[in-house]
Amino acid sequence: MAKPSILVTRRLPDAVQARIARHYDAEFNDDDHVFSTDELLERCAGKDAVLPCHSEHFTAAVIDQLPASVRIIANFSVGVDHVDLEAAKQRGIVVTNTPDVLSDATAEIALLLTLGAARRASEGERLVRGGAWKDWSPSFMVGTQVTGKTVGIVGMGRVGQVAAARFRGFDMQVRYHNRSRLAPEKERGAVYHADLDEMLGQCDVISLHCPATAESKGLINAGRLGRMKDGAILVNTARGALVDDDALLDALRSGKLAAAGLDVFNGEPGGDPRYRELENVFLLPHIGSATVDTRNAMGDRALDNLDAFFAGDAPGDRVA
Ligand code: DGY
């Protein structure tokens, strides 16, 4: 029987590409360039499946132009905001993602951002690296201590729950806002807030872990930043779209927030250039899932979904 044909849009770990090559008639992207929409559509011609990353945007217009042969978009990502799920459903295209396997890696980055922002890591690193570290004094590089403080998790799904466990390692009290309250064994003593606005003023650190949807776009706006404690820290490992950049920049410039730690941005790659001018932001280039273990696991998860689909079974991680 002929192997299903598949377009793999980005260079994946060697072991994952080897597994793909064994079971599929695959077209790879060896130099790992980002496809234009035209190239993406051209390369989809005659393919049964596409295995993309969040760097490829399957808008309604793109999905509308996909060749009829494409029956599944098996994402190498947990986030699916780059795919118009409704448009895919309308065309009968199955969409899958890779949950669970990146929770640990992403939670690690949430903690790194928290500590980096709180303890002024970018500023300090720049001083040492640039040879500008000339003195030590009791007032030098004084930051915010997070041990024993309160963290508010926005979105207590898989990543949020792991992040909460890691924050507990710093003896932090955990509060959370989520669409629904978790069962006690998942809550593990965290305080539930049905109302996000009510939670914001009670936390020293706010860490975002919810998906970007039409409803959550701009969730952290001027009003909500105003409700946060003076001197609080905002951490975002989820999606840039959750944050209104103008409002966050104002809050950072005015000192309303002590600092922010950002791994994700509106307008990636690059992000809003105004953040680069501020000392009180700790910036990373969307590397939440960037570990060898996690990238291999994401590939395997995407392939498990594809294998199930082509075996006529329901893929475990179907989102549309
Ligand atoms: C994800 O999986 O959603 C990560 O942000 C990387 O795309």
Side-chain angles (χ1 to χ4, degrees):
M1 211 175 68
K3 294 174 178 176
S5 62
I6 176 174
L7 173 66
V8 182
T9 64
R10 304 303 302 267
R11 172 87 206 167
L12 299 182
D14 289 347
V16 175
Q17 294 214 166
R19 178 173 161 189
I20 296 173
R22 280 197 298 278
H23 302 288
Y24 294 89
D25 176 10
E27 180 174 331
F28 293 113
N29 176 4
D30 287 330
D31 69 9
D32 200 27
H33 66 286
V34 180
F35 295 159
S36 66
T37 301
D38 285 348
E39 184 176 1
L40 176 65
L41 288 168
E42 261 165 42
R43 288 180 185 265
C44 282
K47 301 292 188 301
D48 299 305
V50 192
L51 198 164
C53 297
H54 79 269
S55 46
E56 285 70 56
H57 296 270
F58 289 85
T59 60
V62 170
I63 287 178
D64 199 41
Q65 296 172 73
L66 281 176
S69 58
V70 173
R71 292 187 288 142
I72 177 167
I73 299 172
N75 289 293
F76 182 90
S77 67
V78 65
V80 287
D81 49 303
H82 57 289
V83 181
D84 189 319
L85 298 180
E86 205 39 54
K89 268 187 216 158
Q90 298 283 328
R91 281 211 49 189
I93 297 173
V94 169
V95 182
T96 60
N97 70 342
T98 58
D100 300 318
V101 292
L102 36 63
S103 305
D104 287 328
T106 307
E108 285 180 3
I109 292 293
L111 269 290
L112 175 62
L113 290 176
T114 302
L115 296 177
R119 301 302 299 273
R120 304 170 57 177
S122 299
E123 219 179 319
E125 215 250 0
R126 263 196 303 275
L127 280 179
V128 181
R129 198 177 281 279
W133 176 31
K134 303 290 182 215
D135 193 13
W136 184 94
S137 82
S139 57
F140 174 64
M141 289 287 306
V142 173
T144 304
Q145 187 155 317
V146 297
T147 300
K149 303 275 174 67
T150 298
V151 61
I153 305 274
V154 180
M156 193 69 144
R158 301 171 184 90
V159 183
Q161 287 172 46
V162 178
R166 305 292 175 261
F167 281 115
R168 284 187 191 100
F170 284 92
D171 298 331
M172 294 180 81
Q173 191 204 5
V174 179
R175 296 177 177 270
Y176 73 101
H177 168 71
N178 201 44
R179 266 173 312 188
S180 51
R181 186 168 179 172
L182 302 186
E185 65 275 15
K186 289 192 170 174
E187 210 170 53
R188 296 181 55 202
V191 179
Y192 176 59
H193 292 265
D195 182 358
L196 171 61
D197 289 346
E198 180 204 279
M199 178 178 86
L200 291 172
Q202 301 186 50
C203 302
D204 302 289
V205 176
I206 293 291
S207 191
L208 305 180
H209 298 282
C210 56
T213 61
E215 295 73 44
S216 64
K217 187 174 162 44
L219 184 75
I220 303 300
N221 55 22
R224 294 218 163 91
L225 287 162
R227 286 176 181 274
M228 286 173 65
K229 269 191 186 176
D230 291 347
I233 291 169
L234 179 74
V235 167
N236 191 3
T237 50
R239 283 293 185 263
L242 301 175
V243 173
D244 174 336
D245 289 321
D246 288 340
L248 178 56
L249 284 155
D250 282 348
L252 288 166
R253 287 190 191 114
S254 70
K256 165 69 191 174
L257 292 194
L262 307 176
D263 182 48
V264 288
F265 300 87
N266 288 299
E268 292 184 15
D272 191 318
R274 294 175 295 174
Y275 287 117
R276 296 175 217 155
E277 294 159 13
L278 300 182
E279 288 286 16
N280 56 346
V281 277
F282 184 65
L283 304 170
L284 292 176
H286 199 146
I287 56 167
S289 64
T291 68
V292 173
D293 295 345
T294 292
R295 289 284 157 86
N296 280 324
M298 288 167 75
D300 280 331
R301 191 88 178 212
L303 284 171
D304 291 346
N305 287 319
L306 274 175
D307 292 351
F309 177 81
F310 286 110
D313 299 329
D317 305 313
R318 184 172 180 171
V319 291

